Amino acid sequence: FSTCFGQLGTDPWFVPIEGSDHIAEVRRDADETTPVFADAWHSDWSFLEVPPIATCLYGIEIPPVGGDTLFADQHLAYQRLPDGLRGRVDGLTATHSTRAIYGTGGIYDADNEQEQGRSMQIVQGPATYEFDHPLVRRHEGNGHKALFSTLGYIQGIVGMERDEAFELLLEVHRHQTTDDVVYRHPWEPNMVVIWDNRSVLHRATGGYEGHARRLRRTTILPATH
């Protein structure tokens, strides 16, 4: 199904399921106490040279409560920026990096005490991936502008002092995830959800303590890559 939309990507930070190089398992055991995986707003693998255009999730084991996925429309968020702020971000280039998330000492470093006992198999990447992308990205398909990614993966803005850059990014972030641009998606077993990483941010939610949750995931690159 995923290859109907492009070429399968790889996830060097996830151990793939047996028999596949491209399918990862997003899971959390019923008795797990580690932080919920991917519970911060992001666009998948925005730190790659060619970020995936889409992500596909297939729900296998879905808890009876909680576990919704939130999506934030970044076309609408961009359109609703105050005129002055929109003028400031147009034309800027942001530096995206694995450093703070998957790097040594990052959030998902297996040596972190809070990561002990995580059932999902996350590994430190083979290297630090760091690439620059426009902070405002024009969608290749529909031609509309959208804000591209947010705090966490972005480590700075090209040509801007660090403090000034993060002050600006915080201001932008306040407009990226307001209630009027967010959709909350509830899951059911055997449900498939696919989204466009160029158009939305997403984040996981918890609220299913004592229940297991298990999904399969692919990322999708443009067909030419």
Side-chain angles (χ1 to χ4, degrees):
F1 176 72
S2 296
T3 58
C4 293
F5 300 92
Q7 178 180 323
L8 288 176
T10 55
D11 296 319
W13 302 273
F14 298 161
V15 177
I17 65 171
E18 186 175 354
S20 174
D21 293 330
H22 301 284
I23 301 173
E25 186 162 85
V26 179
R27 64 176 294 167
R28 183 178 176 84
D29 290 345
D31 59 352
E32 192 166 327
T33 59
T34 61
V36 172
F37 174 72
D39 63 346
W41 291 105
H42 63 287
S43 177
D44 282 333
W45 300 161
S46 68
F47 41 70
L48 295 180
E49 183 176 11
V50 181
I53 59 172
T55 301
C56 185
L57 275 185
Y58 167 50
I60 297 173
E61 189 172 2
I62 302 300
V65 294
D68 295 348
T69 301
L70 304 182
F71 297 95
D73 183 338
Q74 295 306 286
H75 294 296
L76 189 57
Y78 172 76
Q79 293 166 14
R80 294 187 177 180
L81 289 178
D83 291 343
L85 182 56
R86 192 184 310 116
R88 290 170 64 195
V89 299
D90 270 327
L92 293 180
T93 299
T95 299
H96 299 239
S97 175
T98 59
R99 197 178 308 276
I101 309 298
Y102 296 103
T104 301
I107 291 174
Y108 294 119
D109 189 328
D111 291 334
N112 289 346
E113 184 177 349
Q114 67 177 9
E115 284 298 295
Q116 303 307 306
R118 183 176 292 281
S119 57
M120 185 174 171
Q121 299 188 64
I122 301 175
V123 296
Q124 287 180 244
T128 296
Y129 287 71
E130 194 163 283
F131 288 97
D132 295 340
H133 300 294
L135 185 58
V136 176
R137 178 177 180 175
R138 189 178 294 277
H139 194 289
E140 298 89 347
N142 61 36
H144 297 305
K145 289 183 176 181
L147 295 166
F148 185 56
S149 201
T150 187
L151 302 175
Y153 288 161
I154 292 181
Q155 296 300 298
I157 295 176
V158 175
M160 188 176 293
E161 293 293 331
R162 181 179 176 85
D163 289 347
E164 181 185 2
F166 277 91
E167 183 178 336
L168 177 60
L169 290 170
L170 282 170
E171 186 176 358
V172 171
H173 179 72
R174 287 193 285 270
H175 295 275
Q176 287 183 280
T177 57
T178 55
D179 289 345
D180 56 348
V181 302
V182 172
Y183 162 68
R184 176 181 287 269
H185 183 78
W187 283 88
E188 298 177 6
N190 301 315
M191 177 179 282
V192 173
V193 175
I194 186 168
W195 63 87
D196 190 327
N197 284 298
R198 299 164 295 182
S199 295
V200 299
L201 298 178
H202 65 283
R203 63 177 288 253
T205 65
Y208 52 95
E209 291 77 11
H211 299 282
R213 185 173 184 268
R214 188 162 59 95
L215 307 93
R216 296 280 171 86
R217 159 183 153 145
T218 59
T219 56
I220 303 167
L221 300 173
T224 54
H225 288 85

